[in-house]
Amino acid sequence: MATLQDVARIIGELPEVAEGERYGHPTWSVRGKGFAWLRPFSKADIKRFGDQTPPAPPILAVNTANLHEKEGVLAAGIDGVFTIPHFNNYPALLIELSVIAPGDLRDLLVDAWLAAAPAELVEGFDG
């Protein structure tokens, strides 16, 4: 089980990350390019779950390098990682923090940062 404190700690280890706000929710970016954000469900999202119970907040969204990577992560069956119709054809995943293991969260956040960071930052990153 991971927490928002885990998110803050992991993101704090990544170079040149800025925290901002978008649509009233925390967003993290590297040199102006967003890679992670808190993503509560809209009423339409909730409705699409039908009789299923939606994943519990907080929900973190993270970018992937591309749709192929997104599909690979989803196919890996990592607990707490999912998508919703709103994210169809968009290279990002959703993470239910109360379910995902901290190590898996770290891997996904680092991969999202790597996908957004400029080459010179990636080359100098040792983590």
Side-chain angles (χ1 to χ4, degrees):
M1 177 174 131
T3 65
L4 287 172
Q5 289 79 18
D6 293 319
V7 172
R9 178 183 48 76
I10 294 164
I11 287 177
E13 297 170 359
L14 300 171
E16 296 192 33
V17 172
E19 183 174 348
E21 190 174 289
R22 187 159 184 185
Y23 303 113
H25 304 289
T27 302
W28 295 273
S29 61
V30 55
R31 292 200 187 164
K33 190 169 181 185
F35 67 91
W37 62 100
L38 284 184
R39 179 29 170 99
F41 294 126
S42 68
K43 289 179 185 178
D45 294 333
I46 301 265
K47 187 175 180 178
R48 287 186 194 104
F49 280 101
D51 293 338
Q52 289 182 314
T53 302
I59 302 297
L60 183 72
V62 295
N63 283 340
T64 59
N66 52 49
L67 291 172
H68 181 72
E69 181 182 322
K70 173 183 179 174
E71 293 306 318
V73 172
L74 290 170
I78 301 167
D79 288 342
V81 176
F82 66 101
T83 192
I84 58 175
H86 181 80
F87 281 71
N88 286 351
N89 299 313
Y90 186 74
L93 298 163
L94 297 170
I95 301 169
E96 184 178 8
L97 290 178
S98 65
V99 174
I100 195 165
D104 290 331
L105 174 64
R106 184 182 196 292
D107 290 345
L108 291 168
L109 282 168
V110 170
D111 286 349
W113 180 88
L114 289 168
E120 69 270 10
L121 275 183
V122 171
E123 289 171 12
F125 182 63
D126 65 3

